[in-house]
Amino acid sequence: AQTVTQSQPEMSVQEAETVTLSCTYDTSESDYYLFWYKQPPSRQMILVIRQEAYKQQNATENRFSVNFQKAAKSFSLKISDSQLGDAAMYFCAYTGNQFYFGTGTSLTVIP
Amino acid sequence: EAGVTQSPTHLIKTRGQQATLRCSPISGHTSVYWYQQALGLGLQFLLWYDEGEERNRGNFPPRFSGRQFPNYSSELNVNALELEDSALYLCASSSGTNANQPQHFGDGTRLSIL
């Protein structure tokens, strides 16, 4: 069965520094997509970045980038130049025949 | 552009009752997804509707059901409520029938079972 594992329940980073959030997944499917979503406190979940499994090139969106290692089934999120507004719960998600989310990583940004 | 809207914001029920949760997708989106977010468990996929049809469901008992209306809005029904059904229920929508489209989430309905 497919699973998504986020092994870091909590992370913290100094403002302007870089932080990497880890995510691993397990699947036997060959065609799937991976996502990182952000859920700020008391606010809606929003998409941060998306990666197609068939693409070798790592996705980037401004300060957010991923390190996608398909063979290792690893999909980490790097946040550069961290800002106070990046403080949120981050969820890694897998979409294939079904939809799986990790348990989340709570990111604190220290001023 | 209006986002995904869910109602009610909070819902309090007792064991054995039935709950109905509602979701309106973003205009133009045909797919609606339902998730249960229980404390410490992340999001658990419940149901996916597209063009009025149930496309997929997660590993939940049949007392969790729903439907999608011609205007693409959706209802989630939970029958015979149990204490462990207490959770935040999130609805999301996406465009097209491809399950790989990014999902846009609502604020959720907080269901509390007494």
Side-chain angles (χ1 to χ4, degrees), chain B residues 3-63:
Chain B
V4 176
T5 58
Q6 293 186 243
S7 64
T9 304
H10 294 95
L11 190 57
I12 299 174
K13 294 285 186 179
T14 58
R15 286 180 59 190
Q17 285 189 314
Q18 186 222 17
T20 298
L21 289 64
R22 296 179 176 83
C23 172
S24 293
I26 290 173
S27 178
H29 285 189
T30 61
S31 279
V32 170
Y33 311 81
W34 287 96
Y35 294 90
Q36 181 192 69
Q37 187 176 21
L39 196 61
L41 292 180
L43 277 72
Q44 305 292 317
F45 168 66
L46 273 163
L47 290 158
W48 170 30
Y49 290 97
D50 182 71
E51 297 283 359
E53 301 283 332
E54 183 181 298
R55 298 294 183 184
N56 211 338
R57 69 177 289 131
N59 188 26
F60 279 84
R63 59 190 186 83

